[in-house]
Amino acid sequence: MPQKPAPAKRKAAPRDSLFLTNVGQLLTLRTASPKSSPRRGSDLNELGIINDGAVLCIGGKIVSVGNTKDALHDPWIRKHRKQITEIDCAGKVVVPGFVDSHTHPVFVSPRLVDFEKRIEGASYEQIAAAGGGIRSSLEAVRNAARPALKMKVLGVLQDMAAHGTTTVEAKSGYGLTLESELKSLEAICEAALGWPGTVVPTLLGAHVVPKEFHGRSQKYVEIVCKEMIPRAARRNLAQFVDVFCDEGAFAPEETQQIFSAAQAHGLSVRAHMGQLSETALAPFLRFDPVSLDHMDHVNDDDVRQLAKRNTVVTLVPGANYFLGLKTYPDARRFIDAGVPVALATDYNPGTSPTISMPMAMSLACTQMKMSPAEAIAAATINGAWAIRLAEGKGSIEPGKAADLAVFDVEDYREIAYWYGANHCWMTVLNGVIATCQ
Ligand code: NIG
Ligand code: FE
């Protein structure tokens, strides 16, 4: 096994060393030439598979990757084999831990009335206009104590890990007052401390205009820009600022205002864009958004512009599935044009109550015609790009975080194939093992 760091200096194997052997397919996501940008086009199919693979992790990092036969002959491993935790994967598949780059975990209750109304034929927009939707989730979050929110988020993170996710972007956005947005971010940060994986918090104070600001959206935008963003930035509670830019939410001009405030406070930006209607992207690209998400509606010119950039288009087909839509974002159009795409769950109570990245991948394959290989790359390395963590996450390479998901299947394509069942057997989060079943 190549590239093991300084083994000669180690007297005993550190207690936190972990050695996975007999991996049927080890999906490293390594490419022939190293990439300094998100995967696009045919690169999305390059999974860097090692058959009968092995991975050695020490101190929460991957230190070497190769095949089992070579690894077992490695002098350092032979010497320390008794001291390291060895896991015989017995032909299972190992992938980089999924990076769920778009989730909304800070809410209290499911929206079952919305669910029933939609089944009866009402649309997402009609339900929102009639007092359901995002606004109907606000009161419970405003009234909730922070520890209760923290426990909700922690439970979600644990469920996610049991399905193979090791890194999560988590948004606020169901409080929509200064106090309750900061409380939501604090709950995310506190939950993150109790979870071995990695959490990236995002301020989504601009989710919708709350009803007390009805007809005065500009006043609310000022609160987002002048109170929420500065406070969240000062207290290091968020790494990104997100805006729901669409009909019934925030206008393009308001979104630009919020992006400007975010940048002024050193926060990077991302947006829910093109979910319900098309918005021209040109005015936003100067803010270099790390990701534009949903993107059901987009024009050809903007697709061409995106192909020249590292802004990731994050596709969330769970939302289309759960809203019962007949159409899905046109993943093939993006991929074939050279736009980098990621996949995420969009976990939230209104449009996508799933924590399962394998489910998102299955939908990507069946509904958006992505290949299983493209779905893996979109759910791992490109997810990492979508939250600016690609240097340390999203592939199985020496120096990166020991974030792994072991699936009890023989072929990686089964991860997207067996939809609705959880075949994740074990997850390793920054070197910490979580058993799934
Ligand atoms: O990503 N579109 C905006 N936000 C969420 C939905 C939130 C909700 O309905 O509670 C989404 O689909
Ligand atoms: Fe969302």
Side-chain angles (χ1 to χ4, degrees):
M1 297 179 98
Q3 293 162 285
K4 191 157 31 25
K9 286 197 190 135
R10 293 191 183 283
K11 290 205 175 65
R15 261 186 295 199
D16 56 357
S17 33
L18 183 62
F19 182 37
L20 273 66
T21 57
N22 301 315
V23 178
Q25 293 180 328
L26 175 63
L27 275 60
T28 66
L29 274 283
R30 221 165 26 190
T31 47
S33 54
K35 297 275 177 297
S36 56
S37 63
R39 306 281 163 91
R40 50 187 101 223
S42 57
D43 283 354
L44 280 163
N45 277 304
E46 252 191 87
L47 299 182
I49 299 178
I50 300 175
N51 295 313
D52 195 17
V55 190
L56 177 66
C57 309
I58 299 177
K61 298 268 188 242
I62 295 165
V63 297
S64 63
V65 180
N67 69 53
T68 300
K69 201 160 146 263
D70 292 347
L72 293 177
H73 283 108
D74 180 275
W76 187 87
I77 286 178
R78 283 168 69 138
K79 187 165 169 215
H80 296 99
R81 196 146 169 212
K82 287 211 178 73
Q83 296 148 284
I84 54 187
T85 304
E86 184 170 330
I87 293 171
D88 180 354
C89 292
K92 296 178 181 64
V93 169
V94 173
V95 300
F98 298 130
V99 179
D100 193 346
S101 58
H102 179 145
T103 83
H104 306 248
V106 196
F107 61 87
V108 175
S109 305
R111 294 218 299 269
L112 303 175
V113 174
D114 291 13
F115 183 45
E116 284 184 327
K117 281 191 181 160
R118 231 174 2 257
I119 293 164
E120 288 159 12
S123 69
Y124 183 70
E125 294 93 316
Q126 286 165 340
I127 291 167
I134 296 166
R135 289 183 191 89
S136 64
S137 290
L138 302 184
E139 197 185 327
V141 170
R142 290 176 181 181
N143 292 334
R146 193 180 69 211
L149 292 178
K150 171 203 155 177
M151 291 315 288
K152 284 262 179 200
V153 176
L154 185 56
V156 171
L157 295 173
Q158 285 162 346
D159 279 354
M160 288 175 163
H163 289 73
T165 297
T166 55
T167 300
V168 176
E169 183 262 10
K171 305 174 199 294
S172 65
Y174 290 109
L176 308 188
T177 60
L178 172 65
E179 190 219 342
S180 59
E181 285 299 298
L182 295 177
K183 177 175 70 179
S184 298
L185 292 171
E186 285 163 358
I188 292 169
C189 295
E190 284 177 13
L193 292 174
W195 190 62
T198 303
V199 179
V200 174
T202 292
L203 171 66
L204 179 55
H207 203 178
V208 284
V209 179
K211 71 172 184 310
E212 58 276 20
F213 286 91
H214 183 71
R216 297 186 297 137
S217 65
Q218 189 51 42
K219 193 84 206 116
Y220 183 69
V221 169
E222 272 171 34
I223 291 174
V224 174
C225 294
K226 296 196 176 139
E227 297 181 28
M228 291 183 193
I229 291 173
R231 292 277 288 274
R234 199 174 329 127
R235 293 183 49 206
N236 216 6
L237 287 173
Q239 288 183 35
F240 296 105
V241 169
D242 195 342
V243 180
F244 181 15
C245 177
D246 219 317
E247 274 165 19
F250 292 88
E253 301 68 34
E254 294 169 330
T255 304
Q256 288 180 65
Q257 248 179 289
I258 295 164
F259 277 8
S260 295
Q263 280 201 338
H265 288 87
L267 298 177
S268 301
V269 299
R270 53 197 318 118
H272 287 66
M273 194 65 79
Q275 180 183 12
L276 310 170
S277 60
E278 187 186 308
T279 303
L281 300 183
F284 306 112
L285 296 182
R286 71 186 163 100
F287 296 98
D288 200 17
V290 66
S291 178
L292 295 173
D293 301 17
H294 287 274
M295 298 287 275
D296 297 64
H297 306 277
V298 57
N299 67 53
D300 286 342
D301 216 37
D302 284 341
V303 171
R304 272 191 294 275
Q305 290 307 314
L306 287 169
K308 296 181 199 154
R309 315 179 64 92
N310 284 347
T311 296
V312 175
V313 165
T314 299
L315 304 172
V316 291
N320 299 61
Y321 164 77
F322 190 71
L323 294 179
L325 304 182
K326 293 200 170 49
T327 58
Y328 280 73
D330 195 346
R332 286 261 57 91
R333 180 177 172 217
F334 290 119
I335 294 170
D336 296 345
V339 177
V341 298
L343 279 172
T345 61
D346 194 12
Y347 173 73
N348 78 76
T351 67
S352 191
T354 182
I355 48 78
S356 169
M357 285 295 280
M359 182 68 197
M361 292 158 69
S362 190
L363 291 169
C365 296
T366 60
Q367 308 302 307
M368 304 198 298
K369 308 302 174 205
M370 287 173 67
S371 69
E374 289 171 336
I376 294 268
T380 55
I381 186 69
N382 274 9
W385 275 99
I387 51 174
R388 295 235 165 101
L389 286 184
E391 268 184 27
K393 308 252 177 209
S395 60
I396 301 178
E397 296 180 86
K400 285 206 171 184
D403 287 348
L404 309 168
V406 185
F407 278 82
D408 192 5
V409 294
E410 286 175 13
D411 186 301
Y412 76 87
R413 291 171 294 188
E414 293 178 73
I415 296 170
Y417 175 93
W418 300 112
Y419 77 94
N422 184 20
H423 288 282
C424 186
W425 180 73
M426 187 182 98
T427 314
V428 179
L429 308 102
N430 290 305
V432 176
I433 294 176
T435 44
C436 301
Q437 291 163 12

